[in-house]
Amino acid sequence: MTVIDTGLPRRMDETATAPPASAKKSRKEAARAKARRGGLDERLLGPRPKHRKQHRTLFLSDIHLGTPGCKAELLLDFLRHNDAETIYLVGDIVDGWRIKRSWYWNAAHNAVVQEFLRKARKGATVIYVPGNHDEALRDYTGLNFGGIDVTAEAIHETADGRSFLVLHGDQFDSVVKYAKWLAHLGDRAYGLALTLNNWLHEIRRFFGLSYWSLSSYLKNRVKNAVEYISSYEQAVAREARERGVDGVICGHIHHAEMRDMDGVLYCNDGDWVESCTALSEDETGALSLIVWQKFSWETELADGETEPHDEDAPAVLSAA
């Protein structure tokens, strides 16, 4: 039987085909090239390490995406090396205060957001507890965005049966609660200190010195700041005691800490503008603080097998 091509156009559904794999790969490579131009290190764009640290739960807060002080590259490196069944984002993840004043967003910030979405897509439970800098999200509690649940606060039960109140903690900050204008003024001054801190960090890295936070040093040396931190910790621990839980996990003050306070375990997971810390729960229920102030390639984590490229992962684009 002879088939004759009439030359007539076919229907759209007959001609439409999925884009070839080579075209998809080309688009991803173009996106990666754009990310590199946006300042994202090539080593943060390649395959993920095959042997990642597995946690039962991770708690992170005060990332402040949208600000120059955010250590997004270090956080991205951390997320690529650590997985968890449940991830709590304990407020101030995106800095709405700063974004309202002036737009700042680069490829690393975009990549961090996509990494959280990827973890949710791969099966992790991701819970977002908004803080004061991303307080606009409090109007959306109870909703789910891209696999991320938004809630005002949470009660987390550890593997060993302990219960922890999880909240950002700004409601126990009298300045934020009763003098918001002063909180905004302080935020600008803090931003200036972080800018100086970034310059100092780059200089120290050039000379091969380890990470050191100027703003954290000053905060721990000023008497009023030390008293503020102490009163905040006591107020949060008191709330946990009144709720009848075993402990509290919070953020807000950018001061990583874990200690017993009159029978209540106070845990602050720190931040990703100064201390670069997270709180981890292992499979036994034990809690510990993780400090990630160096990139994996600056430590022994640089060695090891890597996974193939994740073709399902969204492209990392620069939004600068």
Side-chain angles (χ1 to χ4, degrees):
M1 180 178 179
T2 304
V3 178
I4 300 174
D5 186 358
T6 63
L8 295 176
R10 298 182 181 181
R11 298 199 317 268
M12 182 66 71
D13 58 351
E14 293 177 333
T15 57
T17 58
S22 58
K24 185 177 180 181
K25 184 176 180 180
S26 297
R27 287 199 300 271
K28 291 180 74 67
E29 287 302 318
R32 292 179 185 279
K34 187 173 182 181
R36 286 191 291 270
R37 291 195 298 272
L40 193 55
D41 194 289
E42 173 69 30
R43 288 166 287 196
L44 296 174
L45 297 171
R48 289 169 178 78
K50 190 171 184 178
H51 304 293
R52 297 185 294 275
K53 176 71 174 176
Q54 301 294 322
H55 308 265
R56 184 173 187 265
T57 318
L58 282 173
F59 304 83
L60 304 100
S61 74
D62 298 274
I63 298 172
H64 291 275
L65 294 167
T67 70
C70 171
K71 303 297 186 296
E73 292 86 356
L74 280 169
L75 175 56
L76 181 59
D77 189 48
F78 170 81
L79 293 173
R80 287 165 58 89
H81 283 80
N82 292 269
D83 283 334
E85 299 171 22
T86 304
I87 300 173
Y88 286 91
L89 304 176
V90 196
D92 287 2
I93 306 304
V94 177
D95 196 323
W97 288 10
R98 169 61 189 255
I99 290 175
K100 283 182 180 179
R101 295 200 303 266
S102 61
W103 179 259
Y104 181 89
W105 198 271
N106 61 28
H109 294 218
N110 201 53
V112 167
V113 172
Q114 292 191 13
E115 192 67 23
F116 284 129
L117 292 172
R118 178 185 183 276
K119 288 185 181 297
R121 192 172 63 253
K122 294 294 183 179
T125 299
V126 183
I127 301 170
Y128 195 140
V129 180
N132 53 305
H133 283 257
D134 46 16
E135 59 191 349
L137 284 175
R138 287 174 172 163
D139 295 334
Y140 301 95
T141 55
L143 299 181
N144 180 286
F145 297 97
I148 299 177
D149 294 309
V150 181
T151 183
E153 60 182 42
I155 298 295
H156 175 73
E157 185 171 329
T158 58
D160 55 5
R162 292 177 295 167
S163 58
F164 282 80
L165 174 64
V166 182
L167 76 177
H168 182 64
D170 57 290
Q171 55 267 60
F172 302 99
D173 185 336
S174 57
V175 175
V176 171
K177 193 171 182 179
Y178 300 111
K180 202 166 185 178
W181 66 270
L182 187 57
H184 280 274
L185 182 63
D187 178 61
R188 294 195 179 210
Y190 182 62
L192 177 60
L194 288 177
T195 299
L196 295 174
N197 192 76
N198 286 344
W199 291 344
L200 180 62
H201 175 55
E202 291 302 321
I203 293 172
R204 290 178 64 86
R205 285 196 68 191
F206 179 78
F207 287 104
L209 299 175
S210 61
Y211 176 83
W212 181 77
S213 173
L214 171 65
S215 52
S216 181
Y217 172 82
L218 294 174
K219 188 165 60 178
N220 291 331
R221 292 298 182 274
V222 177
K223 181 180 178 181
N224 288 343
V226 174
E227 292 176 351
Y228 163 77
I229 291 172
S230 177
S231 62
Y232 171 83
E233 293 173 343
Q234 292 171 11
V236 174
R238 187 184 312 116
E239 177 70 13
R241 197 175 299 111
E242 292 175 356
R243 298 275 196 104
V245 294
D246 298 296
V248 61
I249 298 170
C250 61
H252 185 59
I253 58 172
H254 298 198
H255 186 75
E257 183 81 32
M258 190 170 67
R259 62 191 175 96
D260 183 87
M261 299 184 69
D262 297 326
V264 169
L265 184 59
Y266 168 86
C267 304
N268 192 304
D269 55 29
D271 64 279
W272 288 87
V273 294
E274 292 182 58
S275 57
C276 299
T277 54
L279 182 70
S280 164
E281 178 200 357
D282 66 18
E283 293 300 327
T284 70
L287 296 170
S288 60
L289 285 169
I290 303 173
V291 180
W292 199 273
Q293 295 178 349
K294 289 185 177 181
F295 289 101
S296 57
W297 56 82
E298 298 174 330
T299 68
E300 66 277 4
L301 291 175
D303 299 323
E305 297 179 77
T306 58
E307 290 186 340
H309 279 291
D310 184 358
E311 292 299 327
D312 186 45
V316 177
L317 298 177
S318 171

